[in-house]
């Protein structure tokens, strides 16, 4: 049973470019959350997708957008990249079975470097 | 693998000793708390959770204590092993605010042989 898979694992972009990161949730999970983790800090919530809709959003600008597909996989898009967008982007999946987030299963992340 | 623990508070313990990792959470309305472990180059891994109607919960070799009066959470690891070396994060959630966890800055645990 595959866990959460993310691609690509590493990528380098330049300022102003756009990036798309991909995530496949753990089998049986229907909810996908995205987090940004800067070096030496804890993950910060970007947004969460459930039933192909954005259900929750953190304090991130509109440059950050996402999508969830019928098979529950998800994409994170970041437009007009800034140097400060350099971070590890984590995807986490869960099942929507309770009032709380519950146990999140994280992927290993996509390391984005913006030059 | 790359380090996620640069300049984090560090706790060094001897193998076999007990470890206590502390966390001060920020939102007095938070009612659900989780501890995560993150090894170098990997995503965070769930360890244990606790709801605000409890003050203690035990798992396998781990215990979480919650003190809502002072907004403090701790993770106790019994008989610490080299495999426990990692960065540990506490995370909080307010049930009425939707499913979004707020993570703390983390503590680097180093187990010395």
């Amino acid at each position: 049973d595959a866990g959460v898979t993310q691609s690509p694992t590493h990528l380098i972009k330049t300022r102003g470019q756009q990036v798309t990161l991909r995530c496949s949730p753990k089998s049986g999970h229907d909810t996908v959350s995205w987090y940004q983790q800067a070096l030496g800090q804890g993950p910060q919530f970007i947004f969460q997708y459930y039933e192909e809709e954005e259900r929750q959003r953190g304090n991130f600008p509109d440059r950050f957008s996402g999508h969830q597909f019928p098979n529950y996989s998800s994409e994170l898009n970041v437009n007009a990249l800034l140097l400060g967008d350099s971070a590890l982007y984590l995807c986490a999946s869960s099942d929507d079975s309770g009032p709380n987030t519950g146990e999140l299963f994280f992927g290993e992340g996509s390391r984005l470097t913006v030059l | 693998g790359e380090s996620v623990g640069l300049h984090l508070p560090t706790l060094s313990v001897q193998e076999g000793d007990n470890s206590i990792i502390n966390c001060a959470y920020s939102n007095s309305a938070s009612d659900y708390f989780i501890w995560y472990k993150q090894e170098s180059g990997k995503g965070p891994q769930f360890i244990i959770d606790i709801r605000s109607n409890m003050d203690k919960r035990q798992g396998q070799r781990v215990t979480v204590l919650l003190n809502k009066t002072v907004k403090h959470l701790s993770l106790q690891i019994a008989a610490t092993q080299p495999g426990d070396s990692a960065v540990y994060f506490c995370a909080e959630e307010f049930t009425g605010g939707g499913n979004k966890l707020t993570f703390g800055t983390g503590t680097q645990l180093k187990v010395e042989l």
Side-chain angles (χ1 to χ4, degrees), chain A residues 10 35 37 39-43 45 48 55-57 88 90 96 99-104 106-108 111, chain B residues 2-4 6 8 32 34 36 38 41-44 46 51 89 93 95 97-101 103-105:
Chain A
H10 293 81
Y35 288 79
Q37 186 175 27
L39 203 59
Q41 296 184 21
F45 178 80
Q48 183 183 82
R55 180 162 68 174
Q56 293 288 333
R57 188 176 183 92
L88 181 69
L90 293 162
D96 190 49
N100 289 105
T101 294
E103 182 172 352
L104 282 177
F106 281 87
E108 298 198 343
R111 170 65 67 184
Chain B
E2 62 205 6
S3 170
V4 296
L6 298 181
L8 289 173
Y32 179 63
I34 309 180
Y36 281 88
Q38 188 172 25
K42 296 186 177 181
F46 175 95
R51 298 190 185 279
F89 294 98
E93 184 172 275
T95 302
N99 299 132
K100 50 181 178 179
L101 290 175
F103 282 78
T105 53

Side-chain angles (χ1 to χ4, degrees), chain B residues 5 7-15 17-22 35 74-77 80-81 84-88 106-112:
Chain B
H7 309 302
L8 289 173
T10 299
L11 174 66
S12 295
V13 299
Q14 294 290 322
E15 181 181 6
D17 286 352
N18 296 333
S19 302
I20 300 176
I21 301 171
N22 296 303
W35 280 99
S74 69
L75 177 71
Q76 300 178 357
I77 304 174
T80 312
Q81 302 168 0
D84 295 327
S85 293
V87 178
Y88 288 81
T107 297
Q108 174 91 56
L109 176 65
K110 293 185 177 180
V111 181
E112 298 169 350

